[in-house]
Amino acid sequence: MEGILAIWQRDVIKFFRDRPRILGSFAMPFMFLILFGSGMSGAMSSMMGGASPDSPLADFDFVQFMFPGIIGLTVFTTAIFSSLSVVQDKEFGYMKEILVSPISRVSIAIGKVLGGSTVAVIQGLMMLVFVPFIGVSISFLMILKLIPVMFLVAFTLSSIGLLIASTLKTSQGFQMVVQVLIFPMLFLSGAMFPLNGMPAWMNVLVKINPLTYSVDMFKKVILEPANMAPALREAMGLNLTIFHQPITFAGEIFVVAGLGVVFVVLATMKFSTMEA
Amino acid sequence: MDTIIEVKGLKKYYKGTEAVKGLDLSVHKGEIFGFLGPNGAGKSTTINMLSTIIKPSEGHAKINGFDNVKEKNKVRASIGLIFQASTLDEKLTANENLKLHCKFYGVKKSLREDRIQEVLEIVDLTDKRYKIVETFSGGMKRRLEIARGLLNYPKVLFLDEPTVGLDPQTRAHLWDYILKLKEKAGITIFLTTHSMEEAEICDRVAIMDHGELIALDTPDQLKSKVGGDIIHVSTEANQAAKALIEERYEAEVTEDGEGLSFRVENGSKLLIDFVKQFDIPIKSVNLRRPTLNDVFLQLAGREIREENVSTKTSGNRNLARRGR
Ligand SMILES: Nc1ncnc2c1ncn2[C@@H]1O[C@H](COP(=O)(O)OP(=O)(O)OP(=O)(O)O)[C@@H](O)[C@H]1O
Ligand SMILES: [Mg+2]
């Protein structure tokens, strides 16, 4: 147990010590939110037909729409990339120090996943600094709800990352694989634009993409679709269905947690077979 | 004498290569046991098997009474391990590296502070405790690694080429620490090296080549087995000189970049005659006692490290004396 904690603690200490990384982590969200989001919002609104002030879609604000997606993007990428440290530890030798110690491989894997998840949650929370600039209102209660959701999502993504990291030997390899994986997942998750009227095959990809459910959870917490006009909700792509049934928040938790369990088990198994 | 490591028929195959071909040996409690051999001899592979990092293909070993395959965690808890390449986290401070190690090895909370102070003192790094390791010199990093290896009060400390890449002064210092450790803590030290001078300091040396032990004894015993003295001579015409020596003294002559060496009984007497009678002009000549390199040369038919031959002799003596 203390072993898990030690592994976790190391990742957290190193996160806070790496100032450039923390600052850099604002760059992507900033670009998406301010440059891409604000730049696109006019076009998006007119596409929505929201030009007329009394249409229910006049309320559509692309930047607001994107904000939960940006939190998602931050959490996903931080969590999955956190496992880069596993590959780097192999490259720089520290993995040997860990692997030869009497702590079990399972504890190491769990510690790593928890460390990555914690860091991802912290980064996700840091994105809330954008709140005052984009006109979403976020209550304290929302933040309290957001934290466990972020953690759950981060846990699943960290596990996927660890699974990849356990099979690869170089950081370049890891970065390549993760980038190739994460970008399509992001674009097909509804984080960047509403997923309406897509071709059927793409819709299938959307529905098997775990990020879809993760992003939707963030949207449900932050945008509170229950209080929206139905047409607006539809336009924002908030009526996610699975097998033609609306999926509930609890259902999404179940899906993401289930995937998390599967991946953490796979990752731990793979990690345990690693030679020092 | 008590035995702390007992190795029986230890083997390791990799695809195509047999890295270690059936090793039998025992290490006594409290001794410095050196593992000498050229690159690729199988030294690291052996250390890795003894310290449970890799699984032997055959055979087994007992370390501190525990089996290296069946009781991995017990073995790990009783050893300290310093690898050939650094395994510190350089982004963390010395203190953090040590604290983490205590946690990994389950050192009791109440003991940690004392232990950390103690090991830092041994390696003279007390004032660097809260500095980031990245800012340390190579020698300081090595010392920190050794300190870390001592935190769990290991019964055996495994060191894989502890001084490789260090300057002669740091090397000497490090050896002081290692010897101090042996005296103070009474721990057994098992180290690998391909440096003769380091092997000379050990209580016993095992010489390994191509995955096999070719000799195991104290450095003095090993050298006395070679016997006699070594004459090293450099002449105007080394090829002719070689033939001449072979004919006149019936000695086996080996060449290196600078000249020829051969072994004779009672060298100091013979040297005078040799110089007087030799027909080919001599550039330089010297006489020395056999070193472990000569032992290896005799047993394996080649030098341990070709490029190192000529510069080695002087350094040898100095370091070897420190150990006595
Ligand atoms: N993981 C591996 N896969 C295949 N062959 C290996 C592996 N590790 C070591 N070997 C081979 O086993 C042999 C012994 O290697 P080892 O690292 O034990 O040598 P060494 O005595 O430590 O050498 P050095 O002085 O260079 O450190 C070498 O021929 C090496 O190529
Ligand atoms: Mg080696």
Side-chain angles (χ1 to χ4, degrees):
Chain A
M1 188 59 213
E2 193 173 17
I4 299 182
L5 218 64
I7 300 276
W8 170 86
Q9 188 189 24
R10 171 169 172 257
D11 280 354
V12 176
I13 293 177
K14 288 181 80 169
F15 168 75
F16 282 111
R17 194 156 292 166
D18 198 351
R19 298 279 152 73
R21 173 178 157 197
I22 296 181
L23 278 176
S25 69
F26 287 101
M28 263 262 274
F30 177 81
M31 283 190 287
F32 271 114
L33 211 53
I34 308 301
L35 304 182
F36 182 74
S38 305
M40 284 282 282
S41 64
M44 274 288 183
S45 304
S46 51
M47 269 191 287
M48 295 284 169
S52 76
D54 37 55
S55 137
L57 299 186
D59 280 345
F60 183 82
D61 181 327
F62 187 55
V63 176
Q64 283 183 20
F65 162 84
M66 272 193 85
F67 187 62
I70 292 303
I71 292 193
L73 169 124
T74 308
V75 173
F76 307 149
T77 48
T78 312
I80 197 163
F81 273 112
S82 70
S83 298
L84 179 61
S85 71
V86 172
V87 189
Q88 283 173 336
D89 284 347
K90 281 195 245 179
E91 288 175 330
F92 293 112
Y94 197 78
M95 190 50 77
K96 273 196 176 165
E97 154 79 355
I98 303 174
L99 290 182
V100 300
S101 73
I103 7 171
S104 71
R105 298 287 168 99
V106 176
S107 306
I108 300 170
I110 304 281
K112 272 285 171 195
V113 170
L114 291 180
S117 314
T118 307
V119 167
V121 171
I122 299 169
Q123 291 243 298
L125 287 175
M126 289 197 316
M127 294 308 125
L128 296 178
V129 299
F130 290 114
V131 165
F133 307 102
I134 55 174
V136 271
S137 61
I138 289 209
S139 66
F140 184 65
L141 193 69
M142 275 184 198
I143 296 177
L144 284 189
K145 260 200 239 167
L146 213 47
I147 292 174
V149 175
M150 282 183 188
F151 193 84
L152 178 65
V153 171
F155 183 87
T156 305
L157 270 289
S158 293
S159 307
I160 297 176
L162 181 63
L163 180 60
I164 299 169
S166 308
T167 58
L168 297 177
K169 283 210 167 70
T170 65
S171 351
Q172 286 98 325
F174 178 82
Q175 273 161 323
M176 268 291 295
V177 171
V178 169
Q179 258 155 24
V180 165
L181 197 71
I182 196 93
F183 275 105
M185 281 171 84
L186 269 173
F187 283 116
L188 294 177
S189 68
M192 308 297 190
F193 44 82
L195 298 169
N196 292 329
M198 307 182 106
W201 63 270
M202 221 183 215
N203 209 14
V204 172
L205 292 181
V206 168
K207 294 294 158 64
I208 58 171
N209 178 4
L211 296 197
T212 306
Y213 307 100
S214 310
V215 168
D216 199 57
M217 284 197 282
F218 291 128
K219 288 181 184 166
K220 280 187 171 134
V221 175
I222 295 172
L223 300 177
E224 301 193 297
N227 305 338
M228 283 182 179
L232 180 59
R233 207 187 311 154
E234 182 64 37
M236 282 192 156
L238 293 172
N239 291 331
L240 190 62
T241 59
I242 186 161
F243 303 125
H244 307 291
Q245 296 289 316
I247 183 163
T248 61
F249 192 68
E252 286 170 335
I253 289 182
F254 187 77
V255 170
V256 177
L259 286 170
V261 170
V262 169
F263 281 113
V264 82
V265 169
L266 289 177
T268 307
M269 274 163 42
K270 186 69 203 158
F271 184 83
S272 301
T273 61
M274 205 159 78
E275 286 236 319
Chain B
M1 222 178 284
D2 288 346
T3 306
I4 187 112
I5 303 178
E6 184 81 58
V7 182
K8 285 223 172 77
L10 207 60
K11 287 189 191 174
K12 182 73 188 178
Y13 324 111
Y14 289 110
K15 282 174 222 109
T17 45
E18 223 179 327
V20 176
K21 306 171 184 168
L23 195 65
D24 293 284
L25 59 85
S26 53
V27 177
H28 307 147
K29 212 172 226 166
E31 75 175 333
I32 300 185
F33 189 90
F35 226 55
L36 178 69
N39 287 134
K43 306 182 297 291
S44 297
T45 307
T46 304
I47 270 207
N48 287 346
M49 285 193 283
L50 295 182
S51 54
T52 78
I53 295 171
I54 58 174
K55 217 178 140 205
S57 309
E58 267 177 52
H60 62 100
K62 277 210 146 95
I63 292 97
N64 194 29
F66 303 117
D67 189 280
N68 68 330
V69 180
K70 289 180 211 128
E71 296 166 295
K72 272 191 188 177
N73 280 346
K74 283 186 180 156
V75 172
R76 286 178 189 179
S78 28
I79 63 174
L81 193 53
I82 286 110
F83 292 99
Q84 195 165 348
S86 163
T87 65
L88 295 166
D89 189 332
E90 304 209 347
K91 302 277 178 207
L92 298 179
T93 63
N95 185 52
E96 285 161 345
N97 269 288
L98 297 174
K99 278 223 163 116
L100 283 172
H101 192 86
C102 286
K103 290 182 185 172
F104 295 159
Y105 282 77
V107 175
K108 278 211 195 77
K109 264 207 177 96
S110 53
L111 297 174
R112 285 180 197 167
E113 182 55 31
D114 286 350
R115 293 258 180 113
I116 289 177
Q117 283 179 13
E118 184 186 338
V119 297
L120 282 173
E121 221 155 275
I122 294 179
V123 299
D124 237 352
L125 284 175
T126 308
D127 53 332
K128 301 281 183 194
R129 179 166 175 182
Y130 298 102
K131 297 273 184 320
I132 303 272
V133 175
E134 222 170 14
T135 65
F136 285 21
S137 73
M140 284 154 65
K141 286 179 197 165
R142 212 68 187 132
R143 271 146 59 196
L144 179 61
E145 280 205 279
I146 294 184
R148 189 180 64 179
L150 297 172
L151 276 173
N152 60 320
Y153 279 5
K155 296 280 187 300
V156 187
L157 187 63
F158 288 98
L159 299 146
D160 198 357
E161 307 204 6
T163 58
V164 99
L166 301 182
D167 64 52
Q169 266 154 321
T170 316
R171 242 174 210 243
H173 265 296
L174 204 60
W175 269 104
D176 282 343
Y177 295 127
I178 293 176
L179 293 167
K180 197 153 90 183
L181 267 181
K182 181 199 159 182
E183 263 163 46
K184 261 196 181 168
I187 64 178
T188 309
I189 295 165
F190 186 110
L191 61 93
T192 73
T193 178
H194 36 60
S195 132
M196 306 300 148
E197 54 254 46
E198 293 185 358
E200 299 262 0
I201 308 172
C202 300
D203 295 313
R204 287 196 306 150
V205 177
I207 301 182
M208 195 175 208
D209 191 29
H210 296 307
E212 279 172 311
L213 271 198
I214 53 177
L216 196 176
D217 216 324
T218 63
D220 285 339
Q221 282 295 323
L222 286 171
K223 284 183 288 184
S224 74
K225 274 182 204 155
V226 172
D229 301 290
I230 310 286
I231 292 177
H232 183 268
V233 59
S234 163
T235 69
E236 300 284 342
N238 282 343
Q239 285 309 317
K242 184 176 176 189
L244 188 60
I245 294 165
E246 273 169 346
E247 187 204 305
R248 195 175 284 173
Y249 301 98
E250 287 174 357
E252 203 174 306
V253 181
T254 52
E255 276 179 88
D256 57 55
E258 318 208 327
L260 311 165
S261 358
F262 59 103
R263 193 176 63 81
V264 293
E265 302 300 329
N266 204 353
S268 34
K269 232 179 184 170
L270 188 132
L271 187 64
I272 302 167
D273 292 341
F274 173 78
V275 174
K276 270 190 197 158
Q277 293 167 6
F278 208 63
D279 310 320
I280 299 163
I282 294 173
K283 281 201 268 185
S284 72
V285 62
N286 72 52
L287 175 77
R288 58 179 173 82
R289 306 283 306 156
T291 63
L292 286 174
N293 192 46
D294 301 309
V295 178
F296 185 80
L297 187 65
Q298 198 179 48
L299 294 169
R302 61 196 162 84
E303 305 270 352
I304 284 212
R305 257 166 113 198
E306 254 83 42
E307 70 268 33
N308 231 359
V309 180
S310 49
T311 51
K312 202 174 47 242
T313 347
S314 59
N316 251 346
R317 298 255 161 93
N318 296 339
L319 258 170
R321 222 173 293 127
R322 311 183 122 272
R324 296 293 119 91

